[in-house]
Amino acid sequence: MIAYILRRLALIVPTFVGITIVVFAITRFVPGGPVERMMLEAQRMRTSQFGGRTGGIGQTGNQPLSADQIAQLKAYYGFDKPVLESYLGWMHRVLSGDLGTSTRYYEPVWDMIRQRIPISLYFGLFSLFLTYGICIPLGIAKAVRHKSGFDNLTSIVVFVAHAIPGWVIGVLLLLLFASTWEIFPLGGLTSDDFADFTLLQQAIDILWHTVLPLVAYVAGSFSVLTFLMKNSLMDNLASDYMRTAMAKGLSFKQAVFRHALQNSLVPIATSFGNNISIVLSGSFLIEKVFNINGMGLLGYEAVMDRDYPVVMGILVISALLFMIGNILSDICVAIVDPRVSFE
């Protein structure tokens, strides 16, 4: 197993380089980068100062910056070099632990990401615990009660939740429980007077702000995992070894929990490691709806503002976590299924 893990770790390097090259090249060719944003802001300042209409950026007579100033901006943001040379310079800084500086907020990218990791980790772990804690027992119950009223009713609920995007559910929850009935807050993670609360009151306040975003997070996650668990268990319930176990005197319940359940967990284990990147990356739209200052909202704002150093910084962390998660998935499968060998 150690040799297999070492081989998988070695494959992380070329995969990481391939991912970052593609995204880095895209950021160099899409319009509306930080240089264009600075030119637009300069034009707006001139418009507000002198009033009247000044026309678009592309009109030479209305250009607020000189050619030398534009060249200095391109040099400052690293857009004056060929793509490959810029990429190698960026990669050298990443390998030395420097993710760059935000072109929007002028702060170190790693500091911005580090401040938001605890928030995304909080929601991610909560969501992961609830999703697996509910979906696996629900999938087992649906499998052993296949085609019953309970199975049909829960299938309808799960499919409806899957059909509605999480951010739409978040908007509906805010409209009903925050705006109309005023049971929960409209957004954020803490109240304005959070610092004046006692420790117990602070914990209750955080949980009070957590309920609605957490429901939006997990509502759409039930369907795939629940039906994966149900279908996998049903396949094993129809296997010959189940009939043999019951013929030897085991009850149906004993046969399920001693034999079928472990084999049914193999498909669940294959996707478990991938949740590591999801736990930290959060959800762009849900964090935007609930104004939660996590990794998802940071990534969303970075993309909308063309803040490429932040985009690339989040990509570096997400890509590494995703590839490490794949290795963990393989290890989980080997633990659950003794037939799997890495030799």
Side-chain angles (χ1 to χ4, degrees), residues 30-248:
V30 294
V35 176
E36 288 79 5
R37 194 185 69 243
M38 293 293 293
M39 294 165 61
L40 184 60
E41 289 179 355
Q43 190 177 37
R44 286 174 179 170
M45 291 177 62
R46 193 175 72 169
T47 302
S48 61
Q49 182 178 0
F50 296 104
R53 303 177 61 182
T54 58
I57 290 176
Q59 300 177 21
T60 307
N62 295 315
Q63 178 56 258
L65 301 178
S66 65
D68 290 340
Q69 289 174 319
I70 294 174
Q72 289 176 359
L73 279 175
K74 288 184 177 179
Y76 178 79
Y77 290 116
F79 285 85
D80 60 331
K81 301 173 183 174
V83 175
L84 182 59
E85 185 179 350
S86 297
Y87 173 79
L88 292 176
W90 173 82
M91 179 61 77
H92 180 266
R93 291 192 297 274
V94 170
L95 293 177
S96 60
D98 180 15
L99 293 178
T101 303
S102 167
T103 59
R104 183 69 175 174
Y105 300 102
Y106 306 104
E107 296 180 14
V109 173
W110 171 241
D111 289 345
M112 297 175 65
I113 293 175
R114 187 177 56 185
Q115 293 170 2
R116 289 160 175 80
I117 283 179
I119 299 174
S120 295
L121 197 62
Y122 169 74
F123 280 101
L125 290 178
F126 245 132
S127 303
L128 186 67
F129 175 77
L130 283 180
T131 302
Y132 278 84
I134 294 175
C135 291
I136 291 179
L138 181 60
I140 295 172
K142 287 172 66 65
V144 298
R145 300 176 187 175
H146 183 54
K147 291 187 177 179
S148 65
F150 170 80
D151 182 35
N152 294 331
L153 180 62
T154 53
S155 294
I156 293 173
V157 174
V158 169
F159 277 128
V160 169
H162 180 67
I164 304 175
W167 64 272
V168 175
I169 294 176
V171 172
L172 292 175
L173 292 174
L174 282 178
L175 183 64
L176 294 176
F177 294 97
S179 179
T180 304
W181 298 325
E182 299 182 353
I183 299 175
F184 293 101
L186 281 170
L189 189 56
T190 58
S191 301
D192 294 336
D193 48 356
F194 181 77
D196 300 329
F197 291 166
T198 63
L199 188 61
L200 179 61
Q201 289 174 329
Q202 288 180 344
I204 294 174
D205 185 65
I206 292 176
L207 289 176
W208 185 46
H209 285 78
T210 301
V211 174
L212 295 186
L214 194 61
V215 173
Y217 266 116
V218 302
S221 307
F222 284 161
S223 61
V224 175
L225 198 59
T226 300
F227 281 95
L228 186 63
M229 184 70 223
K230 177 191 173 183
N231 295 333
S232 177
L233 183 57
M234 288 183 63
D235 288 341
N236 284 286
L237 291 178
S239 301
D240 292 337
Y241 72 85
M242 280 294 293
R243 287 189 287 272
T244 303
M246 295 176 68
K248 287 183 175 181

Side-chain angles (χ1 to χ4, degrees), residues 229 232-239 241-242 245 252-266:
M229 184 70 223
S232 177
L233 183 57
M234 288 183 63
D235 288 341
N236 284 286
L237 291 178
S239 301
Y241 72 85
M242 280 294 293
F252 177 74
K253 183 177 180 181
Q254 290 174 325
V256 169
F257 285 97
R258 290 185 185 181
H259 299 286
L261 181 58
Q262 183 174 357
N263 293 333
S264 304
L265 290 175
V266 175

Side-chain angles (χ1 to χ4, degrees), residues 1 4 7 330 333-335 337-343:
M1 178 183 288
Y4 172 81
R7 288 198 301 272
D330 292 345
V333 172
I335 294 173
D337 190 351
R339 296 170 299 179
V340 175
S341 172
F342 293 114
E343 297 298 332

Side-chain angles (χ1 to χ4, degrees), residues 20-34 36 78-79 81-87 306 308 312:
T20 52
I21 282 179
V22 171
V23 178
F24 190 89
I26 291 174
T27 63
R28 284 298 184 273
F29 292 113
V30 294
E36 288 79 5
F79 285 85
K81 301 173 183 174
V83 175
L84 182 59
E85 185 179 350
S86 297
Y87 173 79
R306 302 290 198 273
Y308 295 142
M312 294 302 296

